[in-house]
């Protein structure tokens, strides 16, 4: 792994390691994949305003999320079916997260059971959930997570239906039976045509899910609830009014609605209406420590890393995931030092200049 110098290089290794069907499943976005590209490119249009002659001999990247300390504001996003990437699946990812002292959000569509992940190592973990038409299935998973010591529930709210992922349609992507749901619901689809994941999703997901259902979720768990998949100030305000415990600004890794905005471009409008009342996290397009810094400067408490984690896992298992997190941490540390920010709290809005600000200054 010595020759790998940045996170993007893991993608090529993953492509070599994985069957085409699985690589395309992880890599792909919706339709034209416009948002997929924009998630990454939008970060590149934000420039720094570095401050100099600040004592940066000691850099402290540590922070807390919902009161839980983490070594840096870099967390693991929920991504589906890690065993398609590596035989150890989510257990390897969980061990890497624990070793890096950060929080993993385990996917509802995990290929390892909640109990397997929980017993693999000691760490703070959250569970991401979907609400199924069969509410008892979702309720049972939430109960399992609570019993297994998970610390929060992350409700994904941007999937009333699955987005059109054309690679999965072409490849006739299979949907494997997931151990978490054995005896509850069959998740296995081996399609003659189209995407099996889409076929399963359309049969299982509850498209009637609405704000009032947050109350239902709160009635079945004492755990904090974060909503993942907001992109507007209107929905951010609704989330705060509904009393959720956190927001993840996300467009589902550009896998749902193509031409939805790159997440970093709408982070500020969400942060402005939330006004610090609850934590705001961001995912989508984070590939560099500089991206992490930019998200923090624009008001995020932490970022979640999705695809790069899966690529690290596919290429080198647990060590690959560790390496991805460590690389991003090292880059963030250098960015903080060169921007004159010894701690996370020192990173301010004044340390970055967005494209809008640049354009306005030209008027």
């Amino acid at each position: 792994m010595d020759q790998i110098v940045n996170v993007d290089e893991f993608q090529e290794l993953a492509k070599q390691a994985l069957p085409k069907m699985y690589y395309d499943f992880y890599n792909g976005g919706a339709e034209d994949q416009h948002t997929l590209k924009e998630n990454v490119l939008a970060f590149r249009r934000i420039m720094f305003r570095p401050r100099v002659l600040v004592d940066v001999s000691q850099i402290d990247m540590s922070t807390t999320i919902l009161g839980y300390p983490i070594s840096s504001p870099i967390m693991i996003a929920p991504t589906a079916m890690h065993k398609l990437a590596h035989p150890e699946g989510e257990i390897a990812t969980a061990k890497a997260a624990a070793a890096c002292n950060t929080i993993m959000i385990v996917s509802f569509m995990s290929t390892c059971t909640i109990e397997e992940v929980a017993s693999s190592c000691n760490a703070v973990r959250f569970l991401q959930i979907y609400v199924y038409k069969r509410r008892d299935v979702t309720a049972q998973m939430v109960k399992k997570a609570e019993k297994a010591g998970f610390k929060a529930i992350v409700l994904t709210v941007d999937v009333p239906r699955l987005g059109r992922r054309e690679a999965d349609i072409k490849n006739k992507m299979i949907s494997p039976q997931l151990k978490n749901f054995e005896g509850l619901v069959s998740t296995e689809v081996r399609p003659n045509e189209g995407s099996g994941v889409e076929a399963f999703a359309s049969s299982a997901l509850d498209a009637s899910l609405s704000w009032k259902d947050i109350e239902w979720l709160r009635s079945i768990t004492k755990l904090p609830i974060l909503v993942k998949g907001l992109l507007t100030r209107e929905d951010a305000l609704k989330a705060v009014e509904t009393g959720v415990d956190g927001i993840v600004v996300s467009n589902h890794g550009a896998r749902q609605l193509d031409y939805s905005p790159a997440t970093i471009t709408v982070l500020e409008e969400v942060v402005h209406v939330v006004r610090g009342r609850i934590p705001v996290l961001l995912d989508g397009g984070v590939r560099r420590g500089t991206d992490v810094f930019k998200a923090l400067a624009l008001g995020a408490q932490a970022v979640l890393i999705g695809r790069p984690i899966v690529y690290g896992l596919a290429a080198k298992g647990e060590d690959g995931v560790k390496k991805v997190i460590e690389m991003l941490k090292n880059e963030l540390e250098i960015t903080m030092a060169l921007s004159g920010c010894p701690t996370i709290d020192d990173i301010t809005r004044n340390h970055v200049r967005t494209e809008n600000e640049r354009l306005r200054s030209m008027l």
Side-chain angles (χ1 to χ4, degrees):
M1 271 199 277
D2 300 340
Q3 74 285 17
I4 300 173
V5 295
N6 62 49
V7 163
D8 278 336
E9 292 182 358
F10 272 107
Q11 183 165 354
E12 193 46 47
L13 292 182
K15 191 174 185 177
Q16 292 161 18
L18 291 172
K20 184 180 191 307
M21 180 190 282
Y22 297 165
Y23 175 76
D24 287 354
F25 169 69
Y26 292 129
N27 178 53
E31 295 185 353
D32 296 326
Q33 305 195 114
H34 173 81
T35 300
L36 184 68
K37 297 177 199 94
E38 269 302 295
N39 268 354
V40 172
L41 293 174
F43 274 106
R44 297 186 185 168
R45 295 192 278 267
I46 299 168
M47 304 309 266
F48 290 129
R49 300 184 70 249
R51 304 300 304 273
V52 298
L53 295 173
V54 176
D55 179 355
V56 288
S57 55
Q58 300 286 311
I59 300 284
D60 180 7
M61 293 183 286
S62 66
T63 187
T64 61
I65 296 296
L66 297 182
Y68 299 104
I70 48 179
S71 62
S72 82
I74 301 166
M75 295 165 52
I76 296 186
T79 49
M81 304 194 276
H82 287 193
K83 274 191 181 170
L84 301 187
H86 189 274
E88 288 165 35
E90 288 78 8
I91 286 173
T93 314
K95 286 178 174 170
C100 294
N101 190 11
T102 192
I103 295 170
M104 174 184 182
I105 305 177
V106 179
S107 168
F108 202 62
M109 309 305 286
S110 166
T111 34
C112 297
T113 66
I114 284 173
E115 294 80 6
E116 285 169 343
V117 174
S119 60
S120 69
C121 56
N122 202 356
V124 174
R125 277 178 283 268
F126 300 170
L127 176 71
Q128 174 267 333
I129 64 164
Y130 290 113
V131 175
Y132 282 0
K133 287 172 191 153
R134 277 188 53 194
R135 295 284 170 100
D136 60 306
V137 175
T138 298
Q140 197 152 332
M141 287 282 281
V142 170
K143 294 270 192 301
K144 279 185 186 184
E146 214 164 345
K147 196 174 164 206
F150 281 60
K151 301 300 187 202
I153 299 296
V154 179
L155 172 66
T156 297
V157 294
D158 57 3
V159 192
R161 297 169 62 164
L162 206 70
R164 267 186 65 81
R165 305 166 192 175
E166 293 178 1
D168 294 347
I169 296 169
K170 275 204 176 88
N171 292 334
K172 301 181 181 157
M173 173 67 191
I174 59 156
S175 172
Q177 179 58 41
L178 299 173
K179 274 163 82 180
N180 270 315
F181 301 116
E182 257 163 24
L184 273 175
V185 67
S186 170
T187 62
E188 188 171 10
V189 184
R190 294 181 178 273
N192 296 321
E193 58 175 7
S195 160
V197 173
E198 201 278 324
F200 168 69
S202 60
S203 70
L205 292 169
D206 185 353
S208 77
L209 189 70
S210 66
W211 286 105
K212 64 179 188 328
D213 296 303
I214 306 267
E215 289 309 312
W216 167 76
L217 185 55
R218 201 176 280 112
S219 75
I220 64 166
T221 182
K222 294 184 175 62
L223 294 176
I225 297 165
L226 295 86
V227 290
K228 173 178 178 285
L230 306 190
L231 294 166
T232 62
R233 64 170 69 81
E234 294 88 338
D235 280 342
L237 209 47
K238 268 210 137 95
V240 173
E241 285 162 4
T242 312
V244 303
D245 301 286
I247 288 172
V248 184
V249 175
S250 173
N251 53 33
H252 211 105
R255 293 160 78 81
Q256 283 300 102
L257 179 63
D258 201 15
Y259 300 96
S260 61
T263 46
I264 194 65
T265 64
V266 294
L267 173 61
E268 268 203 291
E269 80 168 68
V270 169
V271 166
H272 281 156
V273 297
V274 170
R275 298 205 314 273
R277 289 174 283 185
I278 54 176
V280 176
L281 313 180
L282 170 132
D283 71 18
V286 178
R287 301 291 179 271
R288 285 278 188 188
T290 48
D291 299 337
V292 181
F293 185 103
K294 288 168 185 179
L296 298 178
L298 294 175
Q301 278 216 325
V303 298
L304 315 180
I305 311 296
R307 287 183 184 86
I309 295 293
V310 174
Y311 297 148
L313 179 66
K316 307 276 180 182
E318 182 187 331
D319 285 341
V321 176
K322 266 192 246 180
K323 182 88 172 161
V324 165
I325 298 168
E326 292 304 334
M327 277 181 160
L328 290 170
K329 277 171 73 170
N330 291 339
E331 290 177 2
L332 174 61
E333 186 173 349
I334 291 169
T335 307
M336 287 170 67
L338 296 180
S339 296
C341 299
T343 73
I344 295 298
D345 286 342
D346 293 316
I347 302 173
T348 69
R349 182 63 182 79
N350 281 334
H351 284 96
V352 293
R353 192 173 195 209
T354 61
E355 192 180 27
N356 282 348
E357 289 172 295
R358 270 214 310 287
L359 296 173
R360 269 203 300 274
S361 71
M362 291 174 190
L363 292 175

